[in-house]
Amino acid sequence: MSANLINLLIEATGQTLYMVAISTLLGTLFGLPLGTFLATSQRGELLSAPWINKVLGLVVNATRSVPFIILVVAIIPFTRLVAGTSIGTTAAIVPLTLAAVPFIARLVENAIREVDSGLIEAARAMGATPIQIIRKVLIPEALPGITLGLTLAVVSLIGYSAMVGAVGGEGLGDLGIRYGYQRFMPEVMAIVVVILIVLVQLVQSIGEWIAAKVDKRAPKGRGE
Amino acid sequence: MTERNRDAASISFEAVGKAFAKPGGGTVHALEDVSLRVEPGSITGIIGRSGAGKSTLLRMVNGLERPTSGRVLLGAHDVGTARGRALRDIRRDVGMIFQHFNLLASRTVAGNIAMPLEIAGVAKSEITARVAELVERVGLSQQANRYPAELSGGQKQRVGIARALATKPKVLLSDEATSALDPETTQTVLSLLKDINRDLGLTVLLITHEMAVVRDIASHVAVIDGGRIVEHGPTHDVFIAPKHATTRSFLSGVTGVKLPAFVKSRLQNTPSEGGEEVIRVTFFGQHATDPMLAKLTGELGIEVNILAGAVEEIGSHPFGNLLVSLPAARGEEARRYLQDHNLNTEVLGYVG
């Protein structure tokens, strides 16, 4: 394999990591509060706002219904507005983030709904405000679930990032298509796939390790 | 820990009602016209079956539930109408412990106990000192940095108690706090509650479905059935002379004094010629140890047949409960004699 090709692979891996990292970060930044709100704003819940909850739920579902490749193309004007351009790796972060936010929000919502309602009651009995309950009870108690959810989101985003070649985003997927498919270099395709497998495996292992680390629900190996 | 809390508060339920709208229309009355005063510094037990409304009643004291009619007063504060800040301030005066402990799995023992203090905005240094004190008080100094998952049920409830005491409340609410514990652990948790009541002088209001819990620690008891208080008073009065059928059925569970099946199946409502009268004799305090039945036979010549019986303790006082049969013809005479000697009697029926 030529040194040129190795450089291309390294560069593409870096681009994939860059896109996934930034979109995960931004996706969490917006998805965490959104998911928390969705989990706590139904009628009679902490932040009871049933109408806003319904509307946001619809928006989240709608966004998640759109196939990613269509989303990428459909929001090109929005991408240009945000990133200044609609073409390239940085521009690809916009659709990736837009796909990540509702996905992460739902994962966070599910994790928070798993928290025992008795804990909320105990906190209310202590005189906690809704915000205190969210910060001191719901998020910390849901953290193992949220961590696993984010792991799932990162893995999905690695998959999505392979499609952004459609709007000139680079990265592993784009490299695989352009060299492996269009230039008929199956060994490039194979290497790209292997790198993706290793990346996903790594993300999954790290995610599970962190989740186990923050999970204090069951004693581990103490024989009690 | 030697500090006594700010004065213990009384709790008053004034004609409290709670109605829920049923999903299919109509209303369910969880509580109806409940009036009860819980004396400051007392340990009051509310006993009832599941669904009787006791949990709803308890949760009104810290505003987790609101009455749909009547008032709930904590000291001078009307809990039912308090909102926002005022309600949160009231809640800091009321500690609560739960059947399933409700501890945060993500926090250590110390972290859980610190929680209400953090919520109240207490300074960090103060929290550390207070938590150390509380951990000591409930005997968990060794476990302070453990997580709840590493503790036994009894230890978890101790953490719950320490947490409930953190903000130096005037009232402690106990929601079936020992129902998930084994009998031995129940005893240690109950005696801890008793010590706390004595040392800190705070009012304890507990709900339970076990008369044994009431017998062991409550100075006062209220029996709730179908959303109404059917009987209440000092525990020993209610134990000696239960007036309501629900109370009696709870008591028969705790005293374990039941009619043998062969007698029960033959029990009639009217005496028959030459038959026997079956009576329950309860006695309390010093009389519990008097050989009254022997005297009955000795002085009046009435032969008494003991069917079942036990002597146990309510608080630190002996409490006896006997089921006996004696000739129906001399029943009234025998009962008068026993009552004259401060024993309570109740006719259960007659056997031929």
Side-chain angles (χ1 to χ4, degrees):
Chain A
M1 201 192 304
S2 70
N4 186 28
L5 204 56
I6 292 177
N7 276 338
L8 274 177
L9 279 166
I10 292 174
E11 204 181 337
T13 306
Q15 285 156 342
T16 293
L17 290 177
Y18 165 69
M19 287 187 291
V20 171
I22 303 293
S23 55
T24 302
L25 205 74
L26 291 173
T28 309
L29 202 66
F30 294 106
L32 187 66
L34 178 59
T36 307
F37 181 78
L38 285 173
T40 54
S41 57
Q42 281 180 11
R43 186 178 304 282
E45 291 180 330
L46 279 182
L47 303 173
S48 182
W51 281 104
I52 305 178
N53 180 290
K54 273 205 183 89
V55 171
L56 282 178
L58 276 176
V59 172
V60 163
N61 285 345
T63 317
R64 294 196 56 205
S65 312
V66 181
F68 183 67
I69 190 72
I70 295 177
L71 184 78
V72 169
V73 181
I75 63 156
I76 283 178
F78 177 70
T79 304
R80 193 176 294 129
L81 190 76
V82 176
T85 169
S86 62
I87 297 173
T89 306
T90 300
I93 289 173
V94 177
L96 279 173
T97 301
L98 207 66
V101 170
F103 188 45
I104 291 175
R106 283 293 186 212
L107 292 167
V108 168
E109 180 188 358
N110 287 342
I112 287 179
R113 288 203 181 280
E114 289 291 307
V115 175
D116 181 1
S117 61
L119 298 181
I120 300 174
E121 178 166 294
R124 285 176 66 209
M126 290 173 206
T129 61
I131 298 300
Q132 283 175 322
I133 294 176
I134 288 169
R135 282 188 40 230
K136 290 183 182 290
V137 178
L138 294 180
I139 306 263
E141 288 291 305
L143 205 54
I146 292 175
T147 310
L148 288 176
L150 285 179
T151 307
L152 189 63
V154 172
V155 170
S156 300
L157 284 172
I158 291 175
Y160 285 172
S161 73
M163 290 184 235
V164 296
V167 287
E170 292 168 294
L172 286 167
D174 179 55
L175 187 76
I177 293 289
R178 281 193 293 127
Y179 284 73
Y181 178 64
Q182 290 163 353
R183 298 192 191 182
F184 202 68
M185 297 169 74
E187 70 278 11
V188 176
M189 187 72 94
I191 294 170
V192 163
V193 170
V194 168
I195 293 175
L196 284 173
I197 290 173
V198 171
L199 272 185
V200 167
Q201 204 59 249
L202 217 63
V203 167
Q204 189 66 36
S205 303
I206 292 171
E208 281 172 14
W209 181 77
I210 296 174
K213 207 74 186 152
V214 297
D215 190 352
K216 312 292 185 186
R217 283 173 294 191
K220 282 166 284 282
R222 299 205 191 201
E224 279 185 69
Chain B
M1 201 155 69
T2 52
E3 107 279 354
R4 280 184 76 88
N5 290 8
R6 292 162 285 174
D7 295 344
S10 64
I11 304 164
S12 299
F13 299 95
E14 297 178 351
V16 169
K18 175 79 179 179
F20 293 103
K22 262 195 287 198
T27 50
V28 184
H29 293 275
L31 292 173
E32 281 183 272
D33 195 25
V34 170
S35 292
L36 181 70
R37 188 178 146 82
V38 176
E39 296 301 326
S42 72
I43 300 184
T44 298
I46 298 176
I47 185 163
R49 299 192 180 89
S50 58
K54 55 188 191 297
S55 186
T56 308
L57 194 61
L58 187 81
R59 291 154 52 86
M60 280 179 178
V61 178
N62 59 1
L64 291 176
E65 300 267 6
R66 291 181 192 283
T68 42
S69 60
R71 295 201 304 167
V72 179
L73 298 176
L74 181 74
H77 300 285
D78 187 340
V79 184
T81 57
R83 295 279 189 284
R85 228 224 112 88
L87 181 58
R88 288 197 290 273
D89 285 345
I90 289 176
R91 284 174 173 168
R92 278 163 205 166
D93 276 345
V94 182
M96 188 168 187
I97 56 177
F98 305 87
Q99 178 174 7
H100 298 295
F101 323 122
N102 294 351
L103 301 178
L104 297 191
S106 58
R107 286 180 174 231
T108 60
V109 167
N112 268 287
I113 299 171
M115 177 91 165
L117 298 166
E118 289 174 20
I119 284 170
V122 175
K124 260 225 162 76
S125 57
E126 216 173 306
I127 291 181
T128 315
R130 178 82 182 134
V131 168
E133 205 175 86
L134 286 158
V135 161
E136 176 85 46
R137 159 106 237 171
V138 298
L140 289 175
S141 302
Q142 298 299 311
Q143 286 81 15
N145 294 317
R146 297 254 186 137
Y147 287 91
E150 301 169 282
L151 304 179
S152 69
Q155 289 173 327
K156 284 183 199 171
Q157 197 56 289
R158 287 165 177 273
V159 178
I161 292 170
R163 180 177 71 174
L165 295 177
T167 51
K168 302 186 180 174
K170 298 171 182 170
V171 168
L172 180 65
L173 304 177
S174 165
D175 184 354
E176 298 270 11
T178 57
S179 298
L181 303 175
D182 62 60
E184 212 170 304
T185 313
T186 294
Q187 284 311 314
T188 64
V189 168
L190 289 181
S191 69
L192 177 62
L193 286 178
K194 220 167 166 176
D195 291 349
I196 285 164
N197 167 261
R198 191 194 54 219
D199 298 349
L200 308 181
L202 83 179
T203 312
V204 178
L205 180 61
L206 59 91
I207 61 172
T208 180
H209 61 272
E210 294 169 308
M211 210 42 145
V213 170
V214 172
R215 174 194 66 199
D216 292 342
I217 67 167
S219 59
H220 292 72
V221 60
V223 183
I224 188 167
D225 191 24
R228 292 170 179 278
I229 302 273
V230 295
E231 186 162 1
H232 68 95
T235 306
H236 56 88
D237 291 0
V238 172
F239 267 66
I240 291 171
K243 291 181 189 71
H244 195 273
T246 307
T247 316
R248 287 200 201 104
S249 96
F250 275 119
L251 279 172
S252 69
V254 65
T255 56
V257 180
K258 286 190 201 115
L259 276 179
F262 75 94
V263 179
K264 199 171 182 181
S265 63
R266 287 162 48 213
L267 215 56
Q268 298 159 346
N269 289 328
T270 49
S272 54
E273 187 62 35
E276 298 258 302
E277 181 178 283
V278 179
I279 62 176
R280 179 191 293 275
V281 183
T282 48
F283 36 96
F284 193 67
Q286 65 194 67
H287 299 292
T289 48
D290 290 354
M292 287 314 298
L293 294 179
K295 285 189 187 166
L296 190 65
T297 310
E299 291 178 23
L300 300 184
I302 299 174
E303 291 195 354
V304 180
N305 182 18
I306 296 178
L307 302 171
V311 178
E312 45 199 321
E313 279 181 285
I314 306 176
S316 53
H317 305 288
F319 165 64
N321 196 336
L322 284 180
L323 299 178
V324 302
S325 70
L326 40 82
R330 306 197 61 186
E332 206 188 321
E333 189 187 345
R335 277 182 273 125
R336 198 175 329 109
Y337 178 83
L338 293 172
Q339 274 155 13
D340 286 346
H341 290 80
N342 290 324
L343 276 64
N344 288 283
T345 60
E346 176 197 348
V347 179
L348 300 177
Y350 303 89
V351 287

